[in-house]
Structures are given as C-alpha cells and as structure tokens.
Amino acid sequence: MKIKWFKRKLTLVMIPGARGTVRRLHLPYMVLYLSLALLTAGVASFVYIYATHAQSLVAYQLLKQEKEHATAIYGEQLSDKSKLIRELQNQVIGLSQQAGEVKQQVQEMKKLESDLKSISKAGQSLSQPVTYEQKIADKAEAEQHTSVAGRLMADPLEGKGGTLIPVSGKDIVTLSAKVGSEYEQLSKEMDSLEHRLTAVKQEALRKAKALRYTPNIWPTDSRRLTSLFGYREDPFTSTPTLHGGIDIGDKTGSPVYATADGTVIAAEEDRARGLNILLEHKKSMRTWYMHLNKMNVSQGDAVTKGQMIGELGNTGRSTGPHLHYEVWLNGERVDPRSYLEQNGKDEH
C-alpha cells in the first residue's frame, strides 16, 4: 500500500486562454510533499537566522552601550588619577621645599646650641657673670635669627611668576627619592640635636641653680661707688689700710638686697660695722652688709636672691650714708666687682 501511495500523482491543468491548448502537469505526491517540506525548512531557517541576527544585534547594542559606559568611567577614573598624580607631584614638591626649610631650621638650632654652649662656658662663669651689654647683644642676635621657614611661608596673595617648565614623572621620582633621603637624614640629626639640647638645657638649669647662690647682683639700687676694694688711705686716720669690700653711696633708708640665696648667720651691731648682716651661701661663699640703718632679718633666717634684708644707713665707723659690702670666698675676702653686673639696674 505504501508503494502505491508514493506512486500516486497529482494532475495540474493549465488553461492559457479560450483558444489555447490545455496542458496537464502530472506531479507525484512525493514531489509536492518534498516541496512543502523544503519550503517549510526554508521558512524555518529564515526565521531562525533572523532571530539569531536580531539577538546578535541586541547583544551588540548592549555591548556597545557597556563599552561606552566603561569608556566614560575609565575616562573619569583616568582624569581623577591624573589629577591625583598632579596633586601628589605638587605634594612631593611641597615636601621638598619643607625639607629645605626644616634643614635650615636644624642649622639654626645647631647655631642656637653653639650659642648656648658659648654663653654657658663664657657668659655664665661664676667668676664673671653675663653683663647687661652681653644680654642686649644676645637678644639682638636672637631677633636677627628669624626662622627661614617663617620667611618662606609668605602671604599666598603675594606676587609669583616665571616661565612654565613642566616636570616629567622621572623628575618627580628622583625628587621624591631625594626628599625621602633628606628627611631620613634630618630625622637622625634632629634626634641627635634633641639629646644635645636636652643636655645643654640640663647644664643651663644646673648653672642657673648655681647662680642662685652666686652673689652677682648689686645689693642696692644705687651704682655710685664711693670706695673700691683694695688698698686706700683710711678716711679717719689717713693711714694706708686694706679696704675689704666696696662702699656704695645712697640715701639713708634705701633698700639693701641679698645678692644670693643663703642663710643669715649673723644680724648684729658693733662699733666698727654698725648694724650688719652676714649671709652664708653655698660653695663656701659669704656676703657681708655693714653700716645699715635697719635690719629686716634675724639670725637663722633663710633669704632669697634679691630679697630686701635691710636699709642703707650710717651706723658704726662711717663718714656718711653708704653700704659697705664684702664678698668672702673660702675664708678670704675677694673683690665684689668680679661678681657684679657692671651696667643696668637689676630686678630684685
């Protein structure tokens, strides 16, 4: 039966016109079915290809959009990174300038250390205290040593200019390495300098403490010397004598100050010295204040440098109001002028 079915034919009659010859076309069913199958397959292929193309086109558009979006993001990131790189480069340049400023400050600190040591060795000598001229000179010098960093940190609104000379990445890398090396060296120098300055400070404090017990200030507000230390003609007998201190003239009742921290070991009166006070200080030193009009302290009292201990007067063996002032070192009289600051008025 199947073979007969395949052999069956379909007759197509074609009539071209009223007078034309009728033509008949005999087609097996098999050809018709194959044609329909081919047509269906062709349509299906077309639909498949079209759908695939459409999907590819959609995918392409999506990829294109993603690419454009990624390109935009990349461009923004690249712009941000370029800006960040410029900022970092400028920061490196700024650090380089700061390194130079810090380096100059370290040099100034070293100069200060040297000055402090010089003052500590020469100016702060117990036998030759710093004079007022030295103090004024040191102050003027300190004012001249203005920090370079302060001078460089000028008003940003001040004029700046110059030709535009771009720097390369290699230049910045080289500069960065140099700055890192300079900061490392500066860090070592500042650590060392800190220890040295600490030592200088401790020494200065030690000497400042020692100066509290050193009679290097004037015992009166007056600077009028009426008689010096050493040999002289006695004002009463006109015979050659040794004057064991200095005489400072002033009005009766003028204040008399302790010239160093110490303890009152005598506050008494006798015919020659009149009212007199004897102070004992450290390092085997003593100071003696004679011919006083009044005494404000008693034996055993502790006194501080610059404290008013009495009033200038004319008691005892004296020709007029004055203070006879003596300095003793290791049991011997010494010239008080070797300890006194020669100029200016001390604060008490």
Side-chain angles (χ1 to χ4, degrees):
M1 287 297 294
K2 290 183 180 181
I3 296 175
K4 289 181 179 182
W5 184 85
F6 278 111
K7 290 182 178 181
R8 295 177 61 185
K9 296 181 181 181
L10 179 66
T11 302
L12 297 177
V13 178
M14 293 180 289
I15 303 174
R19 297 180 180 181
T21 302
V22 178
R23 296 180 181 180
R24 290 179 177 83
L25 179 63
H26 301 283
L27 295 174
Y29 277 95
M30 185 63 182
V31 173
L32 181 60
Y33 293 147
L34 289 174
S35 298
L36 290 175
L38 290 173
L39 179 61
T40 303
V43 172
S45 298
F46 174 78
V47 171
Y48 174 78
I49 292 172
Y50 179 80
T52 304
H53 175 72
Q55 290 179 354
S56 299
L57 185 61
V58 171
Y60 171 76
Q61 293 296 331
L62 291 175
L63 288 174
K64 184 179 179 181
Q65 291 178 0
E66 291 179 359
K67 179 181 178 182
E68 291 175 351
H69 181 66
T71 301
I73 295 177
Y74 175 76
E76 293 177 358
Q77 292 177 345
L78 184 62
S79 177
D80 293 341
K81 288 181 179 179
S82 297
K83 183 178 179 181
L84 179 60
I85 289 173
R86 286 196 300 272
E87 291 178 355
L88 291 174
Q89 289 176 341
N90 289 330
Q91 289 178 8
V92 170
I93 293 174
L95 288 174
S96 175
Q97 294 174 347
Q98 291 178 9
E101 295 166 9
V102 173
K103 187 175 183 180
Q104 182 62 35
Q105 288 179 334
V106 169
Q107 295 301 322
E108 291 179 359
M109 290 176 69
K110 287 182 178 179
K111 177 65 168 57
L112 176 61
E113 177 192 21
S114 177
D115 293 342
L116 288 174
K117 287 182 177 179
S118 298
I119 292 173
S120 178
K121 290 180 180 179
Q124 298 294 337
S125 171
L126 298 183
S127 62
Q128 190 63 39
V130 177
T131 65
Y132 268 81
E133 290 99 330
Q134 290 172 317
K135 285 184 176 180
I136 293 172
D138 292 340
K139 182 178 179 181
E141 183 178 1
E143 291 175 351
Q144 290 177 356
H145 284 286
T146 305
S147 171
V148 172
R151 294 196 296 269
L152 289 178
M153 296 298 292
D155 189 343
L157 298 179
E158 290 185 355
K160 297 179 182 179
T163 58
L164 179 62
I165 306 176
V167 296
S168 65
K170 183 178 180 181
D171 294 333
I172 295 298
V173 171
T174 302
L175 180 61
S176 177
K178 180 181 178 183
V179 170
S181 176
E182 288 181 350
Y183 266 108
E184 183 178 359
Q185 181 63 29
L186 286 173
S187 177
K188 293 179 181 178
E189 290 186 8
M190 293 187 73
D191 287 342
S192 175
L193 189 59
E194 180 181 4
H195 293 303
R196 297 201 304 270
L197 286 177
T198 299
V200 172
K201 177 182 177 181
Q202 292 175 348
E203 179 66 12
L205 291 175
R206 184 189 68 79
K207 291 194 174 183
K209 184 177 180 181
L211 285 174
R212 294 293 306 173
Y213 302 97
T214 303
N216 65 333
I217 65 172
W218 283 74
T220 62
D221 293 330
S222 173
R223 301 293 185 268
R224 181 165 56 89
L225 295 175
T226 58
S227 186
L228 302 179
F229 175 86
Y231 297 103
R232 69 171 184 176
E233 180 182 338
D234 185 81
F236 291 96
T237 65
S238 298
T239 58
T241 56
L242 175 65
H243 189 225
I246 57 174
D247 291 340
I248 307 172
D250 204 353
K251 296 179 181 179
T252 298
S254 299
V256 173
Y257 307 103
T259 56
D261 288 2
T263 304
V264 179
I265 60 174
E268 55 191 13
E269 181 179 13
D270 62 38
R271 292 183 58 185
R273 302 181 180 90
L275 293 175
N276 66 94
I277 299 172
L278 179 60
L279 302 181
E280 185 171 49
H281 315 285
K282 290 185 177 181
K283 298 185 180 295
S284 302
M285 296 195 72
R286 291 184 175 185
T287 54
W288 214 335
Y289 311 79
M290 304 179 189
H291 310 304
L292 301 175
N293 182 62
K294 181 182 178 181
M295 297 184 295
N296 296 344
V297 294
S298 303
Q299 184 176 358
D301 289 348
V303 297
T304 58
K305 193 171 190 174
Q307 177 183 336
M308 181 177 173
I309 58 176
E311 297 178 0
L312 184 144
N314 188 28
T315 59
R317 193 171 185 268
S318 170
T319 61
H322 76 285
L323 172 69
H324 177 86
Y325 173 65
E326 294 185 2
V327 176
W328 290 64
L329 178 62
N330 297 322
E332 296 183 1
R333 295 181 177 89
V334 296
D335 190 347
R337 290 180 301 169
S338 63
Y339 290 91
L340 294 179
E341 295 177 332
Q342 299 296 324
N343 297 278
K345 182 177 179 179
D346 300 317
E347 294 182 0
H348 299 292

